[in-house]
């Protein structure tokens, strides 16, 4: 395996890490209107429980996108330049949404007024849903290809990026991350909110299976290869297995299967690209490939030695952090939070 191909694989690894880890963060944020309430309406204690499930780890999960972006910039500068210049409005919205979400996590508890907290709750929902959708839109366009000139510049408009296939890709990641996050809530909480999360995951999981199946089949038939088709099939199997595990109240297995679903789905998208990194729909000669988009051999060699040292350290630190914060979160763990006087297993409601 040559160095450009190796780094194409490492880039896939970094994006898999980001989508698996920050994906369930997005899902938890989107679940606030559904799970942050009891039979009597919105419940601030339950919303604090939801936020506390990801409180110690959300910013660590988010750093994976920085690693992925830096790796793309250094290993594939032509790809980075084409992608970020052509999709700059999409990435700007993603960045603003991530900032909005991060600020909301920090400022929500600064004042006791319910209205103050509700505003930041809405911003957390928006700041989670928008990137969850737009990341799928971006990668669907990368796989489908875009119009490029001979200098590898994107020649379309932002509206061209919202094709039916790309929108379906966005809906797939939105639903997959939502279900992944809701299962994480059931894995990390106790009491009524845990049961409500399991019920919600059962419902959202069915819709996720349907939408994801259509997207994966469309991708395989129109843009895929034999290997990407196999990986898509594995992703479909693990998605169904995750839903079945949730039905059996096996939250750990359900979360693991959904993480595997995201990993195999992202890997199938990268495999479907080979040997390209960004196909040109107007003229195949203008396509960016692994070979013509990569950096020099010296740069990739230096990056490989750095990655050999630091990637294991990053993984070890991430594993240690998750181990430290492995305990479940409950209403009782929230300072001054009252325990419910009666069982609360009301199903999730849509209104915030």
């Amino acid at each position: 395996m040559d160095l450009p191909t190796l780094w194409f694989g490492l880039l896939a690894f970094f994006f898999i890490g980001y989508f698996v880890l920050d994906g369930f963060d997005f899902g938890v944020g989107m679940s606030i209107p559904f799970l942050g309430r009891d039979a009597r309406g919105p419940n601030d204690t339950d919303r604090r429980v939801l936020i506390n499930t990801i409180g110690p780890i959300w910013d660590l999960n988010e750093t994976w996108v920085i690693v992925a972006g830096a790796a793309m910039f250094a290993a594939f500068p032509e790809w980075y330049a084409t992608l970020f210049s052509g999709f700059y409005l999409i990435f700007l919205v993603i960045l603003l949404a991530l900032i909005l979400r991060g600020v909301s996590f920090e400022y929500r508890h600064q004042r006791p007024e319910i209205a103050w907290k509700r505003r930041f709750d809405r911003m957390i929902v928006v700041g989670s849903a928008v990137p969850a959708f737009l990341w799928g839109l971006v990668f669907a366009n990368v796989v489908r290809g875009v119009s490029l000139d001979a200098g590898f510049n994107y020649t379309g408009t932002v509206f061209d990026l919202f094709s039916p296939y790309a929108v379906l890709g966005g809906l797939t990641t939105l639903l997959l991350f939502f279900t992944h996050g809701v299962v994480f809530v059931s894995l990390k909480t106790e009491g009524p909110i845990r049961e409500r999360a399991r019920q919600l995951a059962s419902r959202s999981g069915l819709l996720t299976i349907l939408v994801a199946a259509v997207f994966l089949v469309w991708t395989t038939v129109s843009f895929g290869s034999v290997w990407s088709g196999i990986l898509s099939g594995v992703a479909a199997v693990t998605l169904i297995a995750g839903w079945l595990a949730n039905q059996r109240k096996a939250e750990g297995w359900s979360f693991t299967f959904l993480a595997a679903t995201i990993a195999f789905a992202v890997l199938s998208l990268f495999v479907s690209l080979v040997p390209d990194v960004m196909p040109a729909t107007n003229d195949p000669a203008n396509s960016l490939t692994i070979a013509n988009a990569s950096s020099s051999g010296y740069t990739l060699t230096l990056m490989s030695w750095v990655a050999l040292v630091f990637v294991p350290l990053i993984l070890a630190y991430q594993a240690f952090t998750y181990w430290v914060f492995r305990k479940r979160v409950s209403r009782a763990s929230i300072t001054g939070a009252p325990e419910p006087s009666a069982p609360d297993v009301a199903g999730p409601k849509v209104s915030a």
Side-chain angles (χ1 to χ4, degrees), residues 16 20 258-268:
I16 287 172
V20 168
L258 284 170
T261 298
I262 296 172
F264 283 113
V266 175
L267 186 58
S268 72

Side-chain angles (χ1 to χ4, degrees), residues 106-123:
E106 299 299 330
Y107 278 81
R108 182 188 187 276
H109 64 279
Q110 296 299 322
R111 289 173 57 177
E113 294 89 347
I114 294 298
W116 170 274
K117 295 180 179 180
R118 293 291 181 268
R119 292 191 199 100
F120 285 107
D121 288 343
R122 296 186 189 99
M123 287 192 285

Side-chain angles (χ1 to χ4, degrees), residues 32-51 108 114 117-118 121 192-193 196 331 334 337-340 344 351-352:
I32 288 178
F34 303 90
L35 299 178
R37 59 187 304 118
D38 54 27
R40 294 165 292 185
N43 186 300
D44 185 63
T45 300
D46 283 349
R47 295 187 176 207
R48 291 172 63 189
V49 168
L50 289 171
I51 293 172
R108 182 188 187 276
I114 294 298
K117 295 180 179 180
R118 293 291 181 268
D121 288 343
I193 194 171
R196 296 203 306 272
R331 286 175 173 176
I334 304 297
E339 286 295 331
D344 170 24
S351 58

